[in-house]
């Protein structure tokens, strides 16, 4: 294979939102050398596009691929979607940094979302995580955010209280170390303990550190339900007070009582930008979300960690209090918290993935279905699963309205993020396997008022700018040759019943000028790397 490739006869979608145009693209030594008609490069390896679309490689602006990138560096499900870069460390979940005493709690926290984590899969700092990734080699690039939970666990453990001034400064120093090593920013998970227990003083101090390093602050905000507008305003306040740029994670209105409120939330962001606050948001193209089963409980239930939760469940009074919280919404220690079950019902919560082998037959079933077979109340099913799997169960929740989804997906401040929760087994949410071709197909069909070229922009140039990738996200000479070729009949094939089916129509994918997908087949090449902030 030569270091030079000539892609001929493509319909180029350059990432800017401009209409596609016919052109050849010359790639030399991993970068785009020329874009134009009838290019001549006799020594180049030819690739006949035959009218297929050529776009910048897609950037997954929000996912949870931290662990799977270590375990499956070929990343077949991402390559198959045309994704060349992923952003990890979201919603406060990450694999670093850890102190000498916080490795166990950090593995427990991450494991609640994505299953068992070994002691070789968490790291003292970003440099250690990056070295592990690059040492294995990886098919695609990775951008990493620092998870707020790791900072708190390293300094405070699972304590449900405000940080002292000394603890705030210790977290600020630990964050600054990671940003100096090249991490791209900080992620908050304000519904997930221990991130949920931070007060404004702590969050503003960390936002200041983010701003000092020219990094990014992202947030899973405190509520996407009745408290959505207040939670958006809280995040905007943090950005303004700390002087940071921000990305609001998976902006949505969850639960039928609150459907239709998303335009108001978007308007808050628009007003903030007019006032000088740099903020945008990401969202996935599905009406269901996914999370840990522990999100069905109030945050205070996790005080002390999973062991403390299991102890409370073993106590009759503690279990009764949890039942009242989940079934009736009574959670006196959790101001603003709303029970997911009261909003969407047991029947709209499905088991996606488990860690305990004997629970695997339950994957894909709703809590109602499992309870009916066991002849028990759904709450008792919930408790049984948490005990048996020690909280490491993933769930899929059907909770969103299509109209709100369209509002988010077509807005200029939006960028596409799969929010995938990849596990090596189970029936996960199909968004990890189909988000990008699904978004393309919707645009090609004319759904949501967003054209194909704008859809590509939401997956390329917009996230590239947000994460400071000045040499990616556009088909333009001098840019790194992260490129995706796809057909006009591109489509996602993953469903909630069969969530891991690969898509149709993504034919070729290059990372830094090397094929990771060619003629629909994975090449095994690993040209990707962990990208650091400039």
């Amino acid at each position: 294979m030569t270091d030079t490739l000539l892609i001929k006869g493509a319909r180029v979608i350059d990432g800017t939102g401009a209409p596609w145009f016919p052109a050849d693209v010359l790639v030399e030594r991993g970068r785009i050398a020329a874009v134009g008609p009838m290019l001549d490069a006799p020594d180049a390896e030819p690739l006949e596009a035959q009218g297929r679309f050529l776009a910048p490689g897609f950037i997954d602006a929000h996912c949870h691929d931290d662990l799977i990138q270590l375990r499956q560096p070929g990343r077949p499900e991402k390559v198959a979607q045309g994704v060349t870069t992923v952003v990890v460390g979201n919603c406060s979940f990450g694999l670093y940094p850890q102190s000498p005493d916080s490795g166990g709690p950090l593995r427990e926290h991450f494991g609640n979302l994505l299953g068992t984590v070994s002691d070789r899969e968490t790291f003292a700092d970003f440099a250690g995580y990056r070295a592990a990734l690059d040492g294995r080699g990886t098919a695609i690039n990775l951008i990493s955010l620092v998870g707020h939970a790791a900072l708190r666990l390293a300094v405070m453990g699972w304590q449900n209280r405000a940080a002292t001034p000394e603890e705030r400064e210790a977290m600020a120093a630990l964050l600054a170390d990671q940003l100096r090593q090249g991490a791209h920013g900080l992620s908050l998970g304000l519904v997930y303990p221990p991130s949920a227990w931070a007060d404004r003083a702590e969050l503003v101090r960390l936002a200041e550190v983010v701003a000092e390093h020219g990094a990014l602050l992202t947030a899973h905000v405190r509520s996407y339900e009745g408290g959505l507008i207040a939670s958006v305003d809280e995040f905007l306040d943090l950005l303004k007070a700390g002087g940071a740029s921000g990305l609001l994670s998976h902006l949505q209105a969850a639960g039928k009582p609150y459907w239709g409120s998303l335009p108001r939330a978007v308007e808050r962001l628009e007003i903030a930008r007019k006032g000088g606050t740099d903020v945008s948001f990401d969202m996935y193209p599905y009406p269901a979300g996914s999370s840990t089963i522990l999100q069905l409980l109030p945050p205070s239930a996790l005080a002390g960690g999973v062991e403390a939760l299991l102890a409370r469940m073993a106590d009759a009074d503690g279990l009764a209090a949890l039942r009242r919280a989940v079934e009736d919404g009574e959670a006196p220690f959790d101001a603003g918290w709303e029970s997911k079950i009261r909003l969407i019902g047991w029947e709209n919560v499905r088991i996606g993935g488990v860690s305990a082998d004997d629970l695997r037959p339950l994957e894909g079933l709703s809590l109602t279905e499992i309870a009916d077979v066991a002849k028990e109340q759904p709450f008792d099913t919930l408790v049984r699963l948490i005990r048996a799997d020690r909280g490491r169960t993933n769930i899929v929740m059907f909770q969103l309205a299509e109209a709100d989804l369209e509002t988010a997906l077509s807005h200029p401040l939006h960028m596409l993020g799969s929010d995938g929760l990849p596990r090596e087994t189970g029936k996960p949410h199909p968004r990890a396997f189909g988000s990008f071709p699904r978004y393309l197909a919707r645009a090609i069909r004319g759904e949501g008022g967003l054209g194909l070229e704008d859809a590509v922009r939401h997956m390329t140039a917009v996230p590239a700018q947000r994460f400071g990738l000045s040499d990616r996200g556009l088909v333009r000479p001098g840019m790194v040759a992260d490129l995706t070729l796809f057909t006009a009949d591109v489509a996602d094939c993953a469903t909630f019943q069969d969530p891991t089916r690969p898509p149709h129509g993504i034919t070729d994918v290059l990372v830094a000028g090397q094929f990771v997908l060619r003629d629909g087949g994975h090449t095994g090449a690993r040209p990707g790397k962990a990208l650091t902030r400039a």
Side-chain angles (χ1 to χ4, degrees), residues 154-472:
V155 173
M156 300 176 60
W158 280 105
Q159 296 188 64
N160 181 3
R161 62 171 176 81
T164 65
E166 294 76 17
E167 288 167 337
R168 289 200 298 267
E169 290 309 311
M171 283 186 268
L174 189 55
L175 172 60
D177 284 343
Q178 313 314 306
L179 298 178
R180 281 192 291 266
Q181 292 173 19
H184 274 75
L186 172 69
S187 79
L188 308 176
L190 298 178
V191 301
Y192 296 112
S195 185
W197 299 328
D199 64 4
R200 184 178 184 275
E202 175 182 332
L203 298 175
V204 169
R205 180 68 189 101
L206 295 176
E208 290 172 347
V209 175
V210 169
E212 288 164 7
H213 289 80
L216 186 67
L217 182 65
T218 76
H220 180 132
V221 296
R222 291 195 193 273
S223 173
Y224 295 94
E225 296 87 21
L228 173 63
I229 304 303
S231 296
V232 170
D233 285 344
E234 179 191 24
F235 182 51
L236 295 173
D237 170 66
L238 294 177
L239 297 178
K240 185 174 182 180
S245 296
L247 178 62
L248 199 159
S249 299
H250 39 59
L251 182 59
Q252 59 190 266
K256 192 172 183 179
Y258 306 116
W259 289 355
S261 61
L262 196 68
R264 288 180 57 214
V266 171
E267 183 182 30
R268 302 300 296 165
L269 302 184
E270 293 171 342
I271 292 170
R273 285 194 65 87
K274 289 177 182 177
T277 300
D278 178 21
V279 65
S280 51
F281 67 90
D282 62 64
M283 186 51 189
Y284 48 85
Y286 292 86
S290 187
S291 187
T292 166
I293 199 170
L294 299 178
Q295 200 184 9
L296 301 179
L297 307 178
S300 62
L302 268 292
V306 172
E307 290 296 334
L309 168 65
L310 296 176
R312 291 186 192 96
M313 287 181 164
D315 173 76
D317 291 341
L319 189 61
L322 281 177
R323 185 186 294 271
R324 289 193 297 274
V326 173
E327 294 185 338
D328 302 325
E330 297 180 15
F333 301 108
D334 299 273
W337 178 80
E338 290 184 84
S339 168
K340 285 278 190 185
I341 294 303
R342 283 177 58 84
L343 287 174
I344 68 175
W346 296 104
E347 69 279 8
N348 284 315
V349 180
R350 292 185 190 174
I351 302 301
V354 298
S355 292
D357 288 339
D358 58 343
L359 297 177
R360 299 212 184 280
L362 305 182
E363 292 172 336
L365 300 178
S366 72
L367 289 176
T368 300
E369 291 170 327
I370 298 169
D372 287 346
V373 170
K375 296 184 174 8
E376 61 188 4
Q377 293 297 310
F379 177 79
D380 299 316
T381 299
L382 172 65
V383 170
R384 178 164 60 88
L385 291 178
I386 291 174
R387 285 172 171 162
D389 215 22
R390 305 186 66 78
R392 294 173 299 187
T393 302
N394 169 262
I395 57 174
V396 176
M397 299 168 288
F398 293 85
Q399 58 185 359
L400 307 178
E402 285 289 348
D404 284 335
L405 196 59
E406 292 291 358
T407 296
L409 296 176
S410 61
H411 195 275
L413 294 179
H414 165 263
M415 62 196 74
L416 194 67
S418 71
D419 198 14
L421 303 177
R423 292 194 179 204
E424 293 168 293
T425 60
K427 286 196 173 182
H429 194 302
R431 64 192 183 185
F433 298 83
S435 287
F436 291 82
R438 182 182 182 88
Y439 194 55
L440 289 172
R442 288 164 72 108
I444 289 171
R445 292 193 300 265
E447 296 178 6
L450 194 66
L452 176 59
E453 291 86 353
D454 270 335
V456 168
R457 188 177 67 87
H458 285 222
M459 301 188 292
T460 57
V462 175
Q465 183 277 329
R466 178 80 295 179
F467 291 98
L469 304 180
S470 59
D471 59 357
R472 286 174 168 84

